[in-house]
Amino acid sequence: MRAVVVERWGGPENLVERDVERPEPGLNEVLVRVHAAGVNPVDWKTRASGALIDWGPVPAVGWDVSGTVEAVGPGVGHLRPGDEVFGMPLFPRQAGAYAEYVVAPARHLAPKPASLTHVEAAALPLAGLTAWQALVDAADVRPGERVLVHAAAGGVGHLAVQIAKARGAYVIGTASAAKHALVRELGADEVVDYREVRFEDVLRDVDVVLDGIGGETAERSLKVLRPGGRLITLPGPDDVPAAPEGVWAAWVLVEPDHLGLRELAALVERGELRPVVDTALPLAEAAKAHAIGEEGRTTGKIVVTVV
């Protein structure tokens, strides 16, 4: 089968398409024929250095996947060949979603929302689960709370805005002026242009902050939280600031979650969540997809198409 692998750690040019052996599903696993694979910051960050990912003998990038079940291994009772599924298998172990086929534990997948194309569905799992696990599982956002989403037009941010709104929150997003219309369309009640003002100068009494930037943004975010507020930061554990008494700060690392995927799919089918695809490129142009992503100007998600 065709797959995109990393020849050596470094720039996007080190992503190359190779013929590799097609995997076979084992116990409680399924073989998925990949239609599309989402591209996430973790993809290019790990491609650059290897990072802490548990790589296989041939490093192959990608986790977000949408496709069709090709075969099922022993023990799988809820999926059948021909089922359309989506998910984020194996993270942080290697999944190798930039390929014609991928093997995944059956419980790392869920039925693809019928209203989404495979390209749209591939944009949802990692970013959507990150937002869900941060806002719902960790922060327990409640109706009427004030939620601040940094980088609200980005991959995680644009989904977090919608999830927080579906939870009944008053949603504030930070974004450049050119992206304000989209952020409001997605449900934000208020949008702050981070290039024109410092958000901590204009915001107060926030209950939850979702920070996908880290660094000084996380530190500054503490200033807008009310007593009892929660700060969730995503880049890494070193980005969790020392929180004052009465404020909770934590790092959340996304993990495969069959039930979370079903919750996201339910929001999609109710019309409360939709992934925005900025760019879709064929598998052979995976290096270009990474280069675009590393520019940091993407609205929504980047996807590579296989079928």
Side-chain angles (χ1 to χ4, degrees):
M1 69 172 188
R2 293 182 300 132
V4 171
V5 304
V6 185
E7 281 199 323
R8 64 186 65 84
W9 309 125
E13 69 279 2
N14 292 310
L15 288 181
V16 295
E17 189 176 312
R18 291 282 184 263
D19 287 326
V20 301
E21 186 175 352
R22 194 180 89 168
E24 295 297 330
L27 290 171
N28 290 333
E29 293 181 333
V30 298
L31 177 69
V32 177
R33 186 186 185 201
V34 179
H35 288 241
V39 178
N40 296 283
V42 68
D43 297 6
W44 58 76
K45 290 176 181 178
T46 55
R47 180 221 67 226
S49 66
L52 300 177
I53 300 300
D54 183 9
W55 295 102
V58 179
V61 291
W63 286 275
D64 274 342
V65 62
S66 182
T68 306
V69 174
E70 183 82 3
V72 300
V76 177
H78 67 288
L79 292 175
R80 301 281 189 277
D83 287 350
E84 294 188 323
V85 294
F86 78 125
M88 184 201 72
L90 297 173
F91 186 84
R93 291 181 290 145
Q94 176 175 317
Y98 297 7
E100 290 183 295
Y101 295 91
V102 65
V103 159
R107 293 288 174 179
H108 289 188
L109 304 167
K112 181 185 75 69
S115 61
L116 296 184
T117 66
H118 282 291
V119 169
E120 292 169 326
L124 186 56
L126 193 147
L129 285 176
T130 298
W132 180 269
Q133 292 169 10
L135 293 175
V136 179
D137 295 342
D140 188 24
V141 170
R142 305 179 193 104
E145 289 194 311
R146 289 166 57 84
V147 175
L148 170 61
V149 177
H150 288 302
V156 172
H158 87 285
L159 298 171
V161 167
Q162 298 174 75
I163 291 170
K165 195 64 183 177
R167 300 281 291 182
Y170 179 92
V171 183
I172 308 162
T174 63
S176 61
K179 299 178 180 180
H180 281 205
L182 172 65
V183 176
R184 289 189 181 278
E185 179 186 337
L186 295 174
D189 300 282
E190 188 176 340
V191 189
V192 175
D193 186 348
Y194 67 90
R195 292 177 176 173
E196 294 297 323
V197 298
R198 293 176 69 84
F199 64 85
E200 69 270 30
D201 292 340
V202 296
L203 298 176
R204 289 290 182 274
D205 297 326
V206 172
D207 295 285
V208 176
V209 176
L210 180 60
D211 165 39
I213 302 172
E216 68 165 14
T217 299
E219 292 278 357
R220 291 161 55 200
S221 293
L222 293 174
K223 299 178 181 179
V224 309
L225 285 169
R226 69 170 75 213
R230 291 91 78 196
L231 167 65
I232 307 294
T233 189
L234 303 176
D238 294 338
D239 292 287
V240 180
E245 186 176 354
V247 170
W248 179 70
W251 170 54
V252 167
L253 177 64
V254 68
E255 58 183 309
D257 182 0
H258 170 77
L259 296 178
L261 289 171
R262 286 183 172 272
E263 293 283 2
L264 295 175
L267 288 177
V268 169
E269 300 298 22
R270 292 201 300 267
E272 296 179 305
L273 180 67
R274 66 177 179 91
V276 173
V277 176
D278 180 281
T279 304
L281 295 168
L283 181 65
E285 296 185 32
K288 181 178 179 180
H290 276 218
I292 292 171
E294 287 180 295
E295 292 176 357
R297 300 173 185 170
T298 305
T299 299
K301 294 294 302 295
I302 302 169
V303 175
V304 294
T305 58
V306 184
V307 173

